[in-house]
Amino acid sequence: MDLNRAGPVLCFGEVLLRLSASPGVRLSMAAHLNVHVGGAEANVGAALAALGRRVEMVTALPVGQLGDLCAAELRRAGLNIEFTIRGEGRLGTYFLEHGVGARPAAIVYDRAGSLFSKAAHPFDWPALAGKAGWFHVSGINLAIGPESSNRALAAVAAMRGEGVPVSFDVNHRASMWVDRASEAGKLEAQIMGATDLLFASARDICRALGCDVPEATAQGRRAAAQAAFDAFPSVRAIVSTRRDIASDGSSMLTVRVDDRETAHETDATPVGPVIDRIGTGDAMAGAIIDAVMRGAGIHEIARVGVAAAVLKHGVAGDQWVGSAAELEAFHGKRQGDVLR
Amino acid sequence: MDLNRAGPVLCFGEVLLRLSASPGVRLSMAAHLNVHVGGAEANVGAALAALGRRVEMVTALPVGQLGDLCAAELRRAGLNIEFTIRGEGRLGTYFLEHGVGARPAAIVYDRAGSLFSKAAHPFDWPALAGKAGWFHVSGINLAIGPESSNRALAAVAAMRGEGVPVSFDVNHRASMWVDRASEAGKLEAQIMGATDLLFASARDICRALGCDVPEATAQGRRAAAQAAFDAFPSVRAIVSTRRDIASDGSSMLTVRVDDRETAHETDATPVGPVIDRIGTGDAMAGAIIDAVMRGAGIHEIARVGVAAAVLKHGVAGDQWVGSAAELEAFHGKRQGDVLR
Amino acid sequence: MDLNRAGPVLCFGEVLLRLSASPGVRLSMAAHLNVHVGGAEANVGAALAALGRRVEMVTALPVGQLGDLCAAELRRAGLNIEFTIRGEGRLGTYFLEHGVGARPAAIVYDRAGSLFSKAAHPFDWPALAGKAGWFHVSGINLAIGPESSNRALAAVAAMRGEGVPVSFDVNHRASMWVDRASEAGKLEAQIMGATDLLFASARDICRALGCDVPEATAQGRRAAAQAAFDAFPSVRAIVSTRRDIASDGSSMLTVRVDDRETAHETDATPVGPVIDRIGTGDAMAGAIIDAVMRGAGIHEIARVGVAAAVLKHGVAGDQWVGSAAELEAFHGKRQGDVLR
Amino acid sequence: MDLNRAGPVLCFGEVLLRLSASPGVRLSMAAHLNVHVGGAEANVGAALAALGRRVEMVTALPVGQLGDLCAAELRRAGLNIEFTIRGEGRLGTYFLEHGVGARPAAIVYDRAGSLFSKAAHPFDWPALAGKAGWFHVSGINLAIGPESSNRALAAVAAMRGEGVPVSFDVNHRASMWVDRASEAGKLEAQIMGATDLLFASARDICRALGCDVPEATAQGRRAAAQAAFDAFPSVRAIVSTRRDIASDGSSMLTVRVDDRETAHETDATPVGPVIDRIGTGDAMAGAIIDAVMRGAGIHEIARVGVAAAVLKHGVAGDQWVGSAAELEAFHGKRQGDVLR
Amino acid sequence: MDLNRAGPVLCFGEVLLRLSASPGVRLSMAAHLNVHVGGAEANVGAALAALGRRVEMVTALPVGQLGDLCAAELRRAGLNIEFTIRGEGRLGTYFLEHGVGARPAAIVYDRAGSLFSKAAHPFDWPALAGKAGWFHVSGINLAIGPESSNRALAAVAAMRGEGVPVSFDVNHRASMWVDRASEAGKLEAQIMGATDLLFASARDICRALGCDVPEATAQGRRAAAQAAFDAFPSVRAIVSTRRDIASDGSSMLTVRVDDRETAHETDATPVGPVIDRIGTGDAMAGAIIDAVMRGAGIHEIARVGVAAAVLKHGVAGDQWVGSAAELEAFHGKRQGDVLR
Amino acid sequence: MDLNRAGPVLCFGEVLLRLSASPGVRLSMAAHLNVHVGGAEANVGAALAALGRRVEMVTALPVGQLGDLCAAELRRAGLNIEFTIRGEGRLGTYFLEHGVGARPAAIVYDRAGSLFSKAAHPFDWPALAGKAGWFHVSGINLAIGPESSNRALAAVAAMRGEGVPVSFDVNHRASMWVDRASEAGKLEAQIMGATDLLFASARDICRALGCDVPEATAQGRRAAAQAAFDAFPSVRAIVSTRRDIASDGSSMLTVRVDDRETAHETDATPVGPVIDRIGTGDAMAGAIIDAVMRGAGIHEIARVGVAAAVLKHGVAGDQWVGSAAELEAFHGKRQGDVLR
């Protein structure tokens, strides 16, 4: 399989309207909400576009001004929408309250019954596969519901059939699986079986394989990765992250990449002051997909991944805004605190 | 029936989250949305509270921060929420784009499947009727769906059973009746049959009675009112409004009140610059219910009605904020343009 | 008396903190207030500074950050504060709600007990008179209280003693005279007796002279002016304004200037859309003082006066921001609606 | 005395308008001010309301829009205003500049001569005592002036007479006692003598008792508490807090609760990034009164106290917005940094 | 020549950063500026994209974040940037102060020396012509300087060589021609000679032809148009607009279309309240190009032109945001003032 | 030379318009920009004015509203503009993106070709020197271009000729010297030769003297200072700063002062949360010039320098806003975190 195949990266998933209160304002007090457009796969696509990749967002948006808003914002973020379907229905929405200190960020989802979650969108997967250079999908497609799950499975199957590399971010959110918790692992495993580049924790792997979660050590993590490599022959690399909380409440991020031969973990990297926690994993995934597409080794993969994840914390909105040069400079020598 | 019965005014209907773009900003461009809490009956209640009436909002709000926001805003507007039910579900929402000049305001509803629209809320209508001094409801309850229609009919029946005066604003919105258009008139007529104070146009009356809409003259309007009085013995007064657009695009409002003996129309009153068009009819209804409760005649009723409607155009949000003194001063001699 | 005497214009009066809600927001709903610095005499001074005059604000400001804010804003507006006294005390404040359409603007004063209103400020009037080129004062000094009245009378006496021209804007606000209503006319007459350039309506003149207000005709206005000229020998010119409200609620402004020989009235000039009504008379006074200082005739005086008053309606804050060229262009041929 | 007596909590004290500049903006530069409504007792009441208690704010507010604003905001925060008196007068105000790093927050008070500080409000203490379930007051009532002190003493006496439990937060602010410094301790002691739940530092206790402040050790703190228990037989528990500043300038909070048998101190808990420092002690007091009302032990009392105080730092405004569940979760296992 | 040729519309011209003060705020007082991206040809392109046309913006943007901002905003507005060149240099900027009432809007240009104005951009005109479906350019290209003029002439020549229809908006701004005023007419005539669809006033035509401006009557306008048709054989239609100011200061717009046979003028159409005057002519041009491309007659052309121009006044920013349906509804029967 | 000579401090340099995005917003995403007025020498002047010094800004500003804005903001910050020249030209501008955590702040300069950078401004240096009490200049004057360099050299020569003390902040910014890198040291040395108070790092000194940069130790720093004292006889004191980055990314500042006898370094002082990094060195320079003018010793000089630099990090804009009392309190005992 050619990891640098011609054609755009296709990002497939739901696009959400995000409405966030300003820092320090609880949702229950909000007089104003900031508007952003998000969604895990769109966020990955935005990071890829920022790094110079051609990206097509494959999704369904409502006709009308709210759908227009999403389409415009996707384009602004560098994604193309040639394969985006428009239809009658509602737009999935989420409300975000930023965390402060000891109070975690909080999300109120209002996405049930969205247009995207409906079964009947006429995506032509074989045709799309014929044009695609890469395909990215997250497990949120599986969590949305049975129709959405089936659609994601069909999409991935079509991609494999055409030799399109597939990246899959498990992105397991227990609150979205409440009614179908027992199905999650099985569905996730089905996508893993068609994946080249897997974003998954040891816990994700064990949910898919039905194994016990190993202890939180380097050996445990390697054991989980090895189990995934054994079970899923197409998987070439597995990316996982770890967030450690220091005693003063600040966070440190570590990115780990396992390939079939070996593994590499970055240093625990301080996150620093946070503007926006959402989409940090998606920024990392975008940077890593880009690195894999250009044939980078696992050190480089982990390096750009942690840089993108940490830098995303400093950008408002779901999506990272930056450049390859900034990822590069992240690990360089600190030149000063103002770039003139 | 005692029009100034002890007990609070009960306003029954859905409370909506309103998200509006700033003037001149299309929804499809919005980076920020202003948050207000609205809903026709809540808006009527807010006007009544501003005029010193004790008001209870009878509705259902989601548990969680969005429901908390609505509850807090209702209280801020002077409504009490002792009889408001909290439950699991989504909050009905609407997006508002203000009109400018030739461009009308536009609303994108996202209210389907809201908690309020569900059937199963345990409102105890007989008990509420025992405590109520007045009951106000709008036809939006009927438009929301069959369960909601049945609930509104049950509520009104309970009120009549206890001798609670009922006001009903038909508030017919064709876009909400698309799937059930043929039922609207019949359901609206059922509520009219239990109403004391009716807010209805000639068109509304004829939809309910199955008659032809009379021509747009004073005689036509009186004919429609007479038909309603004939059909609905409990109706004591009928209020209707008219908006005329001048050649320069500005608006003039007229309020008409028919009782069983006679009718009165205000002068066409210039609306002037507009901050917010939403809820102007609700402000009028609140001011008129208050006037009826204190036994005002139809001249006074029409006078406070047009004052509240016009003044509401100058207040941001769904709800009028003002005082009885301001309604009074509206028709007085202009003292100057700054009150010091 | 030399109307273009060397030395700065001294503007003497209270400086107030103005806190205003955004348009369409009632004070009782405000979550944010906009901060401006105002006061009738400071506003006049700002207009004079915009027109190139050297201006000194003679006032008293509290020590601390609120006084610093006023001092900084006065300087930003072009006024100097060399003769401004700082002391311990509170800053007079007013809250402003902009009017919309039929709702007038509303002001809530919170100025009682301010530092400025206290008696004991060590203004050295003879020394100030020695340095002054012009002296401007408004009747608000008289309304503030007895100490303030005495101070204003002393100031004006010192100015006359040194031959400094004095302008006086009666600026009668009944709400500030509630407790001392019977004194107003007498005190105002005392200042008028020391005035060269008087801003006063026929009503103001008659309050001072104890005469009946003449009817609102050109003859009536001339009769009042003549009475003032007779009573107050130092007065050279009297400026008055008239605001007419058209049937659609829009305003027209007229400026009238009487001198001892004749009178001139501008056309009624449409005000157009309004950003901020406060300080429009002060802007006019500033433009007129400037014109008088350069020896303009009454046509020119009235012309720049109405231009400044109308243009001020389009500028946020208490003070006009503009230029002599803009006053000139106001009456010129409309070139288009965008100056590139 | 029944600590869970029927009836609402009465919070008695002044309500203030708070006008705050945005972070990083000095008051002397502010072009906008954010509006909140505060006051120590109102803040305590808001925390109690957030935790589900019925609360009545007993205060006096000016008639007019500024008083209306306060009334509306109190209601929004969950407080009832049935016993709030409206009258003619000014509203106490304070201006707040948030601190940043090494610069402390700064408050400019403009509260002298407020309506509340006047003597003549017709609070009917015996009648209120008959309805009250709890009574909370702070020492600011004593600092405002002699009339206010007398009123607070009368209120507390009436409460004790009816068996209403009283909580008292000494809240000693030296700047408010400048002219009456020698009276503070005696007045504070008088209220302490009628108190069940006392919020006081060792320094507060010794000011009241005229003793030397013990050294800042556990023994010293216990000695002060013991002295208070000896002097004031009605006091059941004493709450005090300690703020330690780490070398990097960040803060740690500790809450200590003494009862007649023993004492408990929480761990020093990191405060983390700060949105708003004001009202953190009031949030703590509210949480602790709630805990005492439900019969919690001193460990639990201290635990919810420190949680409320720390969490308040992350909420804009004077008042904590949150829930009992959040206080509970504060000490639980960190689940992640986004609650979905 | 095929007016509905395959391929995108190419819009060629400078893209500017627009920084505008809020309404009522003079530039000299501004504490905040709103950011938009503009430029006459980009604005035309945005209108065409809103109407469903594929549009490519042909321009040069600086590398770096300001150029990125422009690129992102162009994409958001629906324009593609495949043929946009990036280079080292500065971004042309303009500062906008909105007019209010009698005060016209004011623009401060800071565009000298911009990257776009430099000679050396490697636009491959023949290649672009091979791909283009239409070419639009304005006279601002000519005003920028000699290199820019030459480039525009080369572009137009290449388009004609390939049979690409050309639209040309003279857009004469005297302030940009100060140093080269004598060249304007000649250069404009050169482009007119290669134009199919011409946006030009009688004054523009006469500047190009060296004739006297005819009187402002229908005959005069037809005479000018006829002269242009005679001089420039490729021109098929000429569009001009007229803005009349009513006595109350409000504006009326008229659009006139001349073809070789006849002419049509719309009614004078009230503009109403104005959010943003900039780009109204560009919105009209976009709507008219779209109409011409689909073969509309001159009545229809004028009709959509005046609709787009008037509606643009209600949209913040340089660019119209709307839809073909809104242009259609503009002339329809007023349905009400809120579209639900 | 008299360090406390009568007459104002003259600050000579370019004034820039600063346009900054809000925290967390990349310039490429900005929809709003905050307006400030900056420039190294103006910032120093603002600090001096805040400390009570009379300051004149010697610069050139464009005619028109942008120049008016700068003039007004300079006055607001306490600077006088009697010697500021107005002329036709553009205003130097810079765009600022605040850094967050690992992302440094970024500046996009758009200052080429500004009015100030032109040669021909008629500053009358001998006359200015006759009036000056102190003269401050930074190396940015040298970096702007040859004309600007010559002008700065002429200014400094005139000052020395009149015995006016000169302070010089090298402020070397490599990006501004790209085309003239080899000249920097020589020009900087020329100014150093006429300087009394020098703000320069060891690296700056060695660039001027052509020596090797000593190692980063106390000895190395003293060696560099000694070399400067040897080379430049007029230099009395040399100030340098050091920023250390802790492992968690936070900053510590140290200020060092060398005089001819000895040296003093402050403790490394934590900077804490940062609102605005720009102008911290200028705030320090202002505080130190003030201290030198009042004859303070090097301990005191360093002490106020580090206080001003650290406190500036907490103030939005280029300029420190504060007071001598705050500099004093900075090193005092922490009284609490809210000053009431």
Side-chain angles (χ1 to χ4, degrees), chain A residues 32-34 65 90 97 110, chain B residues 32-33 65 90 97 110:
Chain A
H32 307 278
L33 293 170
N34 302 302
Q65 287 209 57
R90 73 177 295 260
E97 172 182 290
D110 181 16
Chain B
H32 307 279
L33 293 169
Q65 288 209 58
R90 72 177 295 260
E97 174 182 290
D110 181 16

Side-chain angles (χ1 to χ4, degrees), chain C residues 32-34 65 90 97 110, chain D residues 33-34 65 90 97 110:
Chain C
H32 307 278
L33 293 169
N34 301 303
Q65 289 210 55
R90 73 176 294 259
E97 173 183 290
D110 182 16
Chain D
L33 293 170
N34 301 303
Q65 289 209 57
R90 73 177 295 260
E97 173 181 291
D110 181 17

Side-chain angles (χ1 to χ4, degrees), chain A residues 268-293:
Chain A
T269 308
V271 164
V274 175
I275 293 287
D276 200 311
R277 284 182 200 286
I278 309 300
T280 55
D282 303 326
M284 179 198 72
I288 285 179
I289 293 169
D290 175 72
V292 169
M293 288 176 80

Side-chain angles (χ1 to χ4, degrees), chain C residues 148-306:
Chain C
S148 179
S149 291
N150 290 340
R151 193 167 54 195
L153 292 167
V156 167
M159 297 300 146
R160 284 226 81 73
E162 285 283 337
V164 180
V166 169
S167 49
F168 173 47
D169 185 346
V170 178
N171 230 327
H172 187 83
R173 292 178 191 164
S175 68
M176 292 184 67
W177 284 100
V178 167
D179 299 332
R180 298 160 62 232
S182 62
E183 300 171 45
K186 203 186 97 216
L187 288 167
E188 288 160 4
Q190 283 185 264
I191 306 275
M192 287 181 190
T195 292
D196 299 83
L197 174 58
L198 177 62
F199 299 88
S201 66
R203 180 177 302 269
D204 290 330
I205 290 167
C206 291
R207 192 185 318 103
L209 298 182
C211 55
D212 290 340
V213 180
E215 57 180 316
T217 61
Q219 286 97 319
R221 286 177 202 118
R222 184 63 195 172
Q226 196 56 58
F229 286 128
D230 294 347
F232 308 117
S234 66
V235 171
R236 304 179 183 209
I238 301 172
V239 180
S240 58
T241 60
R242 211 164 62 244
R243 187 181 293 266
D244 298 308
I245 311 283
S247 64
D248 66 350
S250 65
S251 297
M252 310 283 280
L253 271 188
T254 306
V255 171
R256 175 187 173 96
V257 183
D258 286 86
D259 65 13
R260 288 187 173 265
E261 287 75 41
T262 183
H264 175 67
E265 271 197 16
T266 66
D267 293 339
T269 308
V271 164
V274 175
I275 292 286
D276 199 310
R277 284 181 199 287
I278 309 299
T280 56
D282 302 326
M284 179 199 70
I288 285 179
I289 293 169
D290 175 72
V292 170
M293 288 177 80
R294 56 181 157 83
I298 63 173
H299 282 71
E300 166 73 359
I301 289 171
R303 207 174 67 90
V304 299
V306 80

